[in-house]
Short mmCIF file of all heavy atoms in Angstrom, two decimals:
data_model
loop_
_atom_site.label_atom_id
_atom_site.label_comp_id
_atom_site.label_asym_id
_atom_site.label_seq_id
_atom_site.Cartn_x
_atom_site.Cartn_y
_atom_site.Cartn_z
N GLY H 127 101.96 120.31 116.58
CA GLY H 127 102.18 119.80 115.23
C GLY H 127 101.87 120.79 114.13
O GLY H 127 101.35 120.42 113.09
N ASP H 128 102.22 122.07 114.31
CA ASP H 128 101.81 123.04 113.29
C ASP H 128 102.70 123.11 112.04
O ASP H 128 102.18 123.28 110.95
CB ASP H 128 101.58 124.44 113.88
CG ASP H 128 102.63 124.83 114.89
OD1 ASP H 128 103.63 124.08 115.00
OD2 ASP H 128 102.46 125.84 115.57
N ALA H 129 104.02 122.97 112.15
CA ALA H 129 104.84 123.00 110.94
C ALA H 129 105.15 121.56 110.52
O ALA H 129 105.87 120.84 111.20
CB ALA H 129 106.14 123.77 111.20
N PRO H 130 104.56 121.14 109.41
CA PRO H 130 104.64 119.71 109.07
C PRO H 130 105.96 119.31 108.42
O PRO H 130 106.75 120.14 107.98
CB PRO H 130 103.49 119.54 108.08
CG PRO H 130 103.40 120.87 107.40
CD PRO H 130 103.80 121.91 108.41
N LEU H 131 106.14 118.01 108.35
CA LEU H 131 107.21 117.42 107.55
C LEU H 131 106.64 117.35 106.13
O LEU H 131 105.58 116.77 105.92
CB LEU H 131 107.51 116.02 108.08
CG LEU H 131 108.35 115.10 107.20
CD1 LEU H 131 109.77 115.65 107.09
CD2 LEU H 131 108.38 113.69 107.79
N VAL H 132 107.34 117.98 105.18
CA VAL H 132 106.85 117.98 103.79
C VAL H 132 107.81 117.17 102.93
O VAL H 132 109.02 117.38 102.97
CB VAL H 132 106.75 119.43 103.26
CG1 VAL H 132 106.17 119.46 101.85
CG2 VAL H 132 105.90 120.29 104.19
N VAL H 133 107.27 116.20 102.21
CA VAL H 133 108.12 115.30 101.41
C VAL H 133 107.50 115.04 100.04
O VAL H 133 106.28 115.17 99.87
CB VAL H 133 108.32 113.95 102.14
CG1 VAL H 133 109.23 114.08 103.33
CG2 VAL H 133 106.99 113.34 102.53
N PRO H 134 108.32 114.65 99.06
CA PRO H 134 107.77 114.32 97.74
C PRO H 134 107.28 112.86 97.70
O PRO H 134 107.79 112.02 98.44
CB PRO H 134 108.99 114.49 96.82
CG PRO H 134 110.17 114.21 97.69
CD PRO H 134 109.79 114.62 99.09
N VAL H 135 106.34 112.59 96.82
CA VAL H 135 105.82 111.22 96.69
C VAL H 135 106.77 110.39 95.83
O VAL H 135 107.48 110.93 94.96
CB VAL H 135 104.39 111.25 96.09
CG1 VAL H 135 104.40 111.59 94.61
CG2 VAL H 135 103.66 109.94 96.34
N ASP H 136 106.81 109.10 96.06
CA ASP H 136 107.57 108.14 95.25
C ASP H 136 109.04 108.46 95.05
O ASP H 136 109.61 108.18 93.99
CB ASP H 136 106.90 107.98 93.87
CG ASP H 136 105.60 107.21 93.98
OD1 ASP H 136 105.49 106.38 94.90
OD2 ASP H 136 104.70 107.45 93.16
N GLU H 137 109.62 109.11 96.03
CA GLU H 137 111.07 109.38 95.99
C GLU H 137 111.66 108.89 97.30
O GLU H 137 111.06 109.10 98.35
CB GLU H 137 111.35 110.89 95.90
CG GLU H 137 110.81 111.57 94.67
CD GLU H 137 111.76 111.50 93.50
OE1 GLU H 137 112.73 110.71 93.59
OE2 GLU H 137 111.53 112.20 92.52
N PRO H 138 112.83 108.26 97.25
CA PRO H 138 113.43 107.84 98.52
C PRO H 138 113.84 109.06 99.35
O PRO H 138 114.58 109.92 98.86
CB PRO H 138 114.67 107.05 98.09
CG PRO H 138 114.52 106.80 96.63
CD PRO H 138 113.63 107.88 96.09
N VAL H 139 113.32 109.15 100.55
CA VAL H 139 113.67 110.26 101.44
C VAL H 139 114.48 109.68 102.59
O VAL H 139 114.06 108.73 103.25
CB VAL H 139 112.40 110.94 102.01
CG1 VAL H 139 112.79 112.09 102.94
CG2 VAL H 139 111.51 111.45 100.89
N ARG H 140 115.67 110.23 102.77
CA ARG H 140 116.51 109.75 103.86
C ARG H 140 116.30 110.60 105.09
O ARG H 140 116.30 111.83 105.02
CB ARG H 140 117.97 109.80 103.45
CG ARG H 140 118.88 109.63 104.62
CD ARG H 140 119.96 108.60 104.48
NE ARG H 140 119.67 107.45 103.68
CZ ARG H 140 120.61 106.74 103.04
NH1 ARG H 140 121.85 107.11 103.10
NH2 ARG H 140 120.29 105.69 102.34
N PHE H 141 116.09 109.94 106.22
CA PHE H 141 115.96 110.65 107.49
C PHE H 141 117.20 110.36 108.33
O PHE H 141 117.56 109.20 108.52
CB PHE H 141 114.71 110.18 108.25
CG PHE H 141 113.43 110.51 107.55
CD1 PHE H 141 112.63 109.50 107.06
CD2 PHE H 141 113.03 111.83 107.38
CE1 PHE H 141 111.44 109.80 106.40
CE2 PHE H 141 111.85 112.13 106.72
CZ PHE H 141 111.05 111.12 106.23
N ASN H 142 117.83 111.44 108.81
CA ASN H 142 118.88 111.30 109.81
C ASN H 142 118.22 111.58 111.14
O ASN H 142 117.91 112.72 111.46
CB ASN H 142 120.01 112.30 109.56
CG ASN H 142 120.71 112.03 108.24
OD1 ASN H 142 120.79 110.89 107.80
ND2 ASN H 142 121.21 113.08 107.60
N LEU H 143 118.02 110.53 111.88
CA LEU H 143 117.15 110.60 113.04
C LEU H 143 117.96 110.62 114.33
O LEU H 143 118.78 109.74 114.58
CB LEU H 143 116.27 109.35 112.99
CG LEU H 143 115.05 109.24 113.87
CD1 LEU H 143 114.11 110.40 113.63
CD2 LEU H 143 114.34 107.92 113.55
N THR H 144 117.70 111.64 115.15
CA THR H 144 118.40 111.70 116.43
C THR H 144 117.53 112.40 117.48
O THR H 144 116.43 112.86 117.16
CB THR H 144 119.76 112.41 116.29
OG1 THR H 144 120.51 112.23 117.49
CG2 THR H 144 119.62 113.90 116.03
#
Side-chain angles (χ1 to χ4, degrees):
D128 42 9
L131 166 67
V132 183
V133 288
V135 73
D136 288 332
E137 298 273 13
V139 180
R140 166 130 327 153
F141 295 113
N142 296 329
L143 193 57
T144 191

